[in-house]
Amino acid sequence: MTPAAIDAEAINIAARTLQSGGLVAFPTETVYGLGANALDEEAVKRIFAAKGRPASDPIIVHLHHPLQLPIVALDVPPVATTLIQHFWPGPLTLVFRRTPQVPAAVSAGMDTVAVRMPAHPIAQALIKSADCPVAAPSANRFARPSATTAAHVLEDLAGQVDVILDGGPAIIGLESTILDLTRPQPVVLRPGGVPLEDLRAFIPDLEVITKYLQPDETGILAPGMLVKHYSPRAQLLLYEGSSHQIMLTTIHQRAQDLIAANKRVGLLLPDSEIPQFAHLPVATFSLGADLEAISHNLFHGLRTLDSLGVDVILTHTYPAHGLGAALRDRLIRAAEGHLISC
Ligand code: TXA
Ligand code: MG
């Protein structure tokens, strides 16, 4: 189906699956989610098993209307009302204190809950029809690039999910921005679809946590801050340069060295940069022309180059303005925290 032509019969089947404790993968405007009834602890546990996700990583609860918020959240501060008016439905997740109705498994035992109202018509129709809050992490195997198409969901979760609603590619392609409202000061835990600049219009002294946790550190602030995340199977080499041309020259040299060492090389670059590498025996994935397109295509690009069997993927960062902050964050995690300065 498409967002403009929703298949009511399919939504019905998926909603009944959620009500009976099953798992449903569905498109949102950010990425595909792997949903379960958020109030059904057994169903929520199936999400962790299906993804191979550690129980210490909490899950976002999705609503179809702000009126559902009191079911899951306590002590909603006034700033939340303003943010909800401006950014819901949309790619902004807010962290509140959790009601006793929400099983502890959803929040990895913490007394908080992360909540968002997706803007995608298929997600909204599903949650409305299921008539319950829907817990849904991104619909990928743990630590893999997020799923932005139904085919990505199948690739990672075939046999682990009861229903997949195929609504075409996700729209933004990067996950939601997560804002914790349970502290004295609002803190961004993950940059995402809502740019930080847009949030600062309402919260001038917004704090942003930029720390990346190593696998042996325990993440008390946000368990999802683990540095290894969104990773392709190939090694990802991520370049950040003082100038664009220095960055591309360095990537070119490294590609040549890798080819000489018999490595299969993949390049993940914007359209305009690909022709400079046309004479090299490399696999390429064109990310598009602007930040929106690059964000939309990033996870698909990582998965596509993986499926071509490359050993190493070469790519670079983007300035951290607008969607660029989220893009940079995902690239750093996909590269397991290693930024190569040039
Ligand atoms: O755009 C999105 O947010 C997508 C779509 C499906 O809605 N979902 C998503 O879920 O990205 P997931 O599980 O891949 O990432 C959610 C992150 C987790 O890494 C977790 O650390 C954080 O949200 N999170 C969830 N509940 C939290 C809580 N109570 N406190 C702090 N962080 C939380
Ligand atoms: Mg995820």
Side-chain angles (χ1 to χ4, degrees), residues 31 51 53 57 137-144 146 175 190 229-230:
V31 299
K51 283 192 55 135
R53 181 181 178 107
D57 199 354
S138 50
N140 50 280
R141 287 285 301 173
F142 181 67
R144 293 263 303 139
S146 297
E175 302 80 356
R190 177 178 75 184
H229 222 114
Y230 316 110

